[in-house]
Amino acid sequence: MPMVILGLLTSISFLYMIAPSIRKFFAGGVCKTNVQLPGKVVVVTGANTGIGKETARELARRGARVYIACRDVLKGESAASEIRANTKNYQVLVRKLDLSDTKSIRAFAEGFLAEEKQLHILINNAGVMMCPYSKTADGFETHLGVNHLGHFLLTHLLLERLKESAPARVVNLSSVVHIAGKIHFHDLQGEKCYNRGLAYCHSKLANVLFTRELAKRLQGTGVTTYAVHPGIVHSELVRHSFLLCLLWRLISPFVKSAREGAQTTLHCALAEGLEPLSGKYFSDCKRTWVSPRARNNKTAERLWDISCELLGIQWK
C-alpha cells in the first residue's frame, strides 16, 4: 500500500512539474490582429476582474476609450487605475452596472448615452455561476436574470448607438457547457426544479441563442455579433461553490490564465473579415461546433419573444 501511495504522489508531483507545458498546450488560440482603436468606444461588462479586466486592458492598450461597467465600483476603479498605469491610456472609465437589477441597467444606459455619441464594441462579459437558488431584484432566477436577461436588456438599450457607429460589434460570452443546457419554457425561473450547475448551463445556451437571433435581426445594419467560449479559465466565477473553489486550486496550474481566456473575445471584437460569421460561436479564436439545441431557430425566436415580455420591452 505505501508503494501505491508513493507512486500516486510521484505521479502528481510529475504532473505539477510539467504543468506549464500542459497549460501551454491547452492555452488555445491567440488574437493575432494588429488593429488599433484610437477614437473607438468600447463597453466591457464585469471588467473589474478576470477575463473582462484583461479584455479591457488590451483594448485600452490599442487606444480605445474603454468603459468598465461593473457592480463593484471600488474594484472597478482599482482595475481601471492599474490598466491606465499599464497602458498609459487614461481614457479608461468606470461606471456602475448591476445586471441583476433592470433599474441599474437602465440607469447605466441612460448615463452612457448622454455621455457618448458613439459605441463601436459592446462586450457582454459579466456573469454568475453555480449560485444557490435566488432571484434578482426583478424576480428572475439569478443565472437567467444576470447572464441572459441583463445583457439582453443592455444590448437593446445601446443598440441604436451601435447602429449609428457601424461597423460595430457585440460579443457575448457563453461557454462550452451550453451543450448541457436546455431552455425549459415551462419553468424558466427554476421554481419547479432547480440545479445550480444546470441553471448555469441553461443560461449559457441562452447566450448562444440570443447571439444567433440577434445576428438575424441585425442583417444589413453594419452591426455584427458573436458568441464566445473563453476556455477553462482561472477566474472568480466559481466563488459560489466550495467544491469548485477547492477543485480550482488543484487544477489551476493546468488551466488558462485570464489573459489567455480573453483571446477569443478579442479575436471576435477585432479580427478583420468576421462579418460573414455574425451569429456564430467561437472558441480558441476560430468558429467551432455548437449543440443542436443552440442551432434551433424556433427556440431562439421563442426565447427572444419571452425575454422581451419578461423585460417589458418592444424589440422587433
Side-chain angles (χ1 to χ4, degrees), residues 21-287:
S21 298
I22 296 174
R23 193 168 64 77
K24 186 176 181 181
F25 178 79
F26 287 109
V30 175
C31 177
K32 296 179 180 178
T33 179
N34 293 317
V35 167
Q36 298 300 304
L37 301 170
K40 303 298 184 182
V41 181
V42 180
V43 170
V44 187
T45 68
N48 59 302
T49 187
I51 295 170
K53 180 179 174 182
E54 294 306 317
T55 301
R57 188 196 308 275
E58 181 59 24
L59 295 170
R61 190 184 70 78
R62 292 170 185 255
R65 181 174 173 87
V66 179
Y67 282 80
I68 291 177
C70 59
R71 183 176 56 182
D72 191 325
V73 174
L74 288 178
K75 285 186 177 180
E77 290 291 357
S78 176
S81 179
E82 179 188 319
I83 293 169
R84 291 184 204 114
N86 183 249
T87 63
K88 308 305 179 188
N89 180 346
Y90 299 99
Q91 297 187 90
V92 181
L93 308 169
V94 180
R95 298 292 182 269
K96 183 174 179 62
L97 172 67
D98 185 349
L99 289 161
S100 69
D101 185 345
T102 58
K103 288 182 180 177
S104 176
I105 298 168
R106 290 182 180 279
F108 168 83
E110 183 179 350
F112 176 84
L113 294 173
E115 195 171 358
E116 291 289 346
K117 300 307 177 188
Q118 291 186 305
L119 175 58
H120 302 93
I121 303 171
L122 170 61
I123 298 179
N124 291 321
N125 165 85
V128 294
M129 177 181 179
M130 299 283 285
C131 301
Y133 188 79
S134 57
K135 290 188 176 184
T136 68
D138 301 275
F140 307 135
E141 186 277 315
T142 300
H143 293 91
L144 178 76
V146 172
N147 296 350
H148 170 59
L149 292 173
H151 282 130
F152 188 97
L153 177 60
L154 179 65
T155 305
H156 167 70
L157 295 172
L158 299 180
L159 191 59
E160 287 307 311
R161 191 66 90 241
L162 284 159
K163 289 179 180 178
E164 292 165 3
S165 310
R169 295 185 183 183
V170 178
V171 181
N172 298 318
L173 263 73
S174 181
S175 170
V176 69
V177 302
H178 80 271
I179 294 169
K182 188 174 182 180
I183 307 300
H184 296 285
F185 289 110
H186 66 285
D187 189 26
L188 268 183
Q189 309 299 341
E191 293 171 326
K192 297 177 182 176
C193 180
Y194 182 77
N195 175 290
R196 59 185 183 175
L198 287 176
Y200 177 69
C201 298
H202 302 334
S203 71
K204 294 293 100 178
L205 174 59
N207 294 150
V208 182
L209 290 167
F210 169 47
T211 304
R212 185 180 185 87
E213 185 65 15
L214 180 61
K216 186 173 76 174
R217 293 169 185 254
L218 288 177
Q219 287 180 10
T221 65
V223 182
T224 52
T225 182
Y226 312 90
V228 165
H229 168 54
I232 301 175
V233 180
H234 188 67
S235 74
E236 294 182 5
L237 259 184
V238 298
R239 63 187 178 273
H240 295 291
S241 170
F242 172 77
L243 288 177
L244 274 182
C245 285
L246 184 62
L247 177 63
W248 232 236
R249 286 181 178 273
L250 293 173
I251 69 171
S252 60
F254 307 98
V255 302
K256 288 184 179 184
S257 65
R259 182 176 179 276
E260 290 165 340
Q263 295 303 304
T264 305
T265 298
L266 291 166
H267 174 78
C268 289
L270 302 172
E272 304 94 331
L274 285 190
E275 287 78 11
L277 297 178
S278 182
K280 305 306 181 186
Y281 173 76
F282 286 73
S283 178
D284 290 332
C285 297
K286 60 182 182 293
R287 180 186 173 185

